[in-house]
Amino acid sequence: MGVFDDLVGQERAVQTLRRAAAAAAETLAGGSGAGMTHAWLFTGPLGSGREEAARAFAAALFCSGGGCGHCDMCHQVMVGSHPDLETVRPQGLSYGVKDTRQLILRAAGAPTLGRWRVVLFEDADRATEGASNALLKAIEEPPPRTVWLLCAPSPDDMMITIRSRCRVVTLVTPPTSAVAHVLATRENVPPDMAAFAARAAQGHLDRARRLALDADARGRREAVLSIPAALTGVGECVAAAERLVKTAEEEAVAVTSVLNEAETTELRKVYGEGSTGKGLNKGLVRGGAGALKELEERQKSRATRTKRDVIDAALLDLVAFYRDVLAVQFGAQVELATEDRRADLEAVARSSTPEGNLRRIEAIMLCRRRLAANVSPQMAVEAMTLSLRSP
Ligand SMILES: [Zn+2]
């Protein structure tokens, strides 16, 4: 199975990338840098697989078979150990100029294995203005073997000067049927569950996979979708907001604690701490305490981001719910992402107006923007649940 086979419903983008990888191989064979595009921008909605597409392309650039999926090169890219591929995943809400400058220096080095040096920058839209300016300089005059793969939700999320220098690859939301097919054939998910998960995840393959395979994830979705029908009074609104934020916190802790532990152990090993040291800095060689502190800062910022991402996913489920209420009110013949909540949908549809539901969707989108702008989750979510209740 080739590296591009995982990109569900992205035929057009895959065709572009395959051709580009073949052209890149010719460029290498010819010994000239001509014909290679050094900056790429992968865009597409959440869950469309921007990062996956960029990673597959990186594998195709390193692999002599254009991304065969089973050679050493492909394997190293997929597990993240290829020496010429650097993946940048901003842990905080933004990515600063200092980190970017260091990244640019590393990117400028010659490829270890002789082909390309590739930087895969996930969520490049989180680069600050200063960072973006530094990045712009780097992609304006790229070393002949360096390739930048930037990922962002849409071209508009990047500085116009950056995106005009990138070749844009547009990913789309894959159809529900394609996602269900992947779950059923590759993950052995029973057809009914696959159809439910694909519909509920609205084309987001990772999320569909989680919903299909993880009962806890399904439970959390249930809890979120039970909110609209429960907002009977002010007290209920406040309680619902508190529950939503708390659940997100718990999930974020579950996700990040495993990562944190592994990183801390690794760092302590690097700085030569014996297995007996228990105090924070005990037994660390010089520089270790500072590095540990820096790591803890990064971990804290990642926890914050994960919590926000979890809340954001919950908010998107709520948007889907009210969209479905509107569809019910208008008798639209469309697939409903929250079909499994049919009784709630109909009850809310009967007791509300379309205008009210449009306003509710706006309130949820406003909450998303406020969270992105760093408003306290508790405050933002509470304001939202209160406006979901008002008629
Ligand atoms: Zn390969």
Side-chain angles (χ1 to χ4, degrees):
M1 206 173 85
V3 290
F4 290 113
D5 295 350
D6 264 340
L7 306 178
V8 180
Q10 313 293 349
E11 287 73 16
R12 258 190 62 198
V14 167
Q15 197 183 39
T16 304
L17 295 172
R18 277 188 200 282
R19 281 194 192 137
E26 271 172 40
T27 296
L28 282 181
S32 85
M36 185 57 188
T37 307
H38 292 274
W40 294 75
L41 177 58
F42 290 77
T43 67
L46 186 72
S48 58
R50 308 183 283 259
E51 285 83 15
E52 289 80 359
R55 197 165 302 118
F57 184 48
L61 289 176
F62 295 133
C63 167
S64 55
C68 67
H70 42 74
C71 72
D72 263 2
M73 295 295 110
C74 288
H75 181 69
Q76 284 177 18
V77 169
M78 290 311 162
V79 301
S81 65
H82 194 289
D84 290 326
L85 172 66
E86 170 147 359
T87 304
V88 183
R89 196 172 291 129
Q91 301 289 350
L93 296 173
S94 65
Y95 193 76
V97 65
K98 195 178 128 206
D99 288 336
T100 307
R101 290 219 176 95
Q102 286 168 358
L103 175 68
I104 291 166
L105 279 178
R106 290 196 300 278
T112 320
L113 301 181
R115 288 177 84 96
W116 305 98
R117 194 155 183 93
V118 180
V119 181
L120 198 177
F121 197 152
E122 299 185 0
D123 300 322
D125 52 310
R126 295 192 192 213
T128 61
E129 202 184 328
S132 297
N133 281 318
L135 196 60
L136 174 63
K137 287 208 190 76
I139 61 175
E140 268 175 341
E141 291 166 42
R145 294 296 183 87
T146 300
V147 182
W148 290 87
L149 310 178
L150 312 177
C151 304
S154 82
D156 294 338
D157 292 314
M158 299 304 294
M159 254 170 32
I160 187 159
T161 40
I162 289 189
R163 78 173 190 250
S164 67
R165 278 175 180 79
C166 291
R167 188 155 165 201
V168 178
V169 179
T170 310
L171 286 311
V172 295
T173 301
T176 313
S177 55
V179 173
H181 180 73
V182 170
L183 293 180
T185 53
R186 289 192 208 157
E187 315 277 350
N188 279 324
V189 173
D192 277 359
M193 176 62 92
F196 154 77
R199 200 172 55 229
Q202 303 170 70
H204 189 315
L205 180 59
D206 274 348
R207 179 147 164 72
R209 192 180 281 131
R210 252 196 326 276
L211 283 173
L213 302 176
D214 179 357
D216 286 347
R218 288 197 294 276
R220 280 192 296 269
R221 176 177 174 275
E222 280 284 299
V224 168
L225 291 178
S226 69
I227 288 177
L231 301 176
T232 46
V234 173
E236 282 79 3
C237 292
V238 174
E242 207 176 282
R243 251 193 337 269
L244 200 152
V245 174
K246 200 163 159 263
T247 315
E249 256 158 26
E250 284 165 4
E251 189 177 348
V253 168
V255 172
T256 50
S257 61
V258 184
L259 292 169
N260 291 357
E261 227 178 276
E263 286 168 354
T264 309
T265 311
E266 187 58 30
L267 188 97
R268 284 176 179 277
K269 239 191 273 161
V270 169
Y271 281 96
E273 188 199 44
S275 54
T276 49
K278 211 151 192 282
L280 192 64
N281 303 327
K282 202 170 135 194
L284 291 185
V285 297
R286 233 177 118 200
L292 190 62
K293 192 152 178 278
E294 211 171 280
L295 176 67
E296 279 163 1
E297 286 296 312
R298 274 210 309 280
Q299 290 175 338
K300 231 169 91 188
S301 132
R302 176 172 60 201
T304 306
R305 178 183 162 184
T306 307
K307 182 173 141 189
R308 275 164 216 267
D309 287 350
V310 172
I311 297 177
D312 197 54
L315 296 181
L316 289 175
D317 278 339
L318 279 179
V319 170
F321 180 89
Y322 287 109
R323 187 205 78 123
D324 289 354
V325 170
L326 280 169
V328 170
Q329 286 179 322
F330 286 111
Q333 298 303 308
V334 291
E335 188 182 71
L336 302 183
T338 62
E339 178 67 56
D340 50 309
R341 309 288 303 188
R342 187 44 97 155
D344 281 1
L345 287 177
E346 283 175 358
V348 176
R350 275 194 305 274
S351 64
S352 64
T353 62
E355 291 80 5
N357 291 319
L358 283 173
R359 215 172 17 71
R360 288 184 181 92
I361 290 175
E362 270 165 32
I364 303 169
M365 298 314 269
L366 174 67
C367 179
R368 295 186 67 207
R369 284 197 299 277
R370 298 181 71 195
L371 287 174
N374 236 345
V375 173
S376 122
Q378 181 65 38
M379 270 176 59
V381 173
E382 203 174 286
M384 179 198 76
T385 51
L386 285 167
S387 37
L388 291 183
R389 174 182 167 253
S390 55

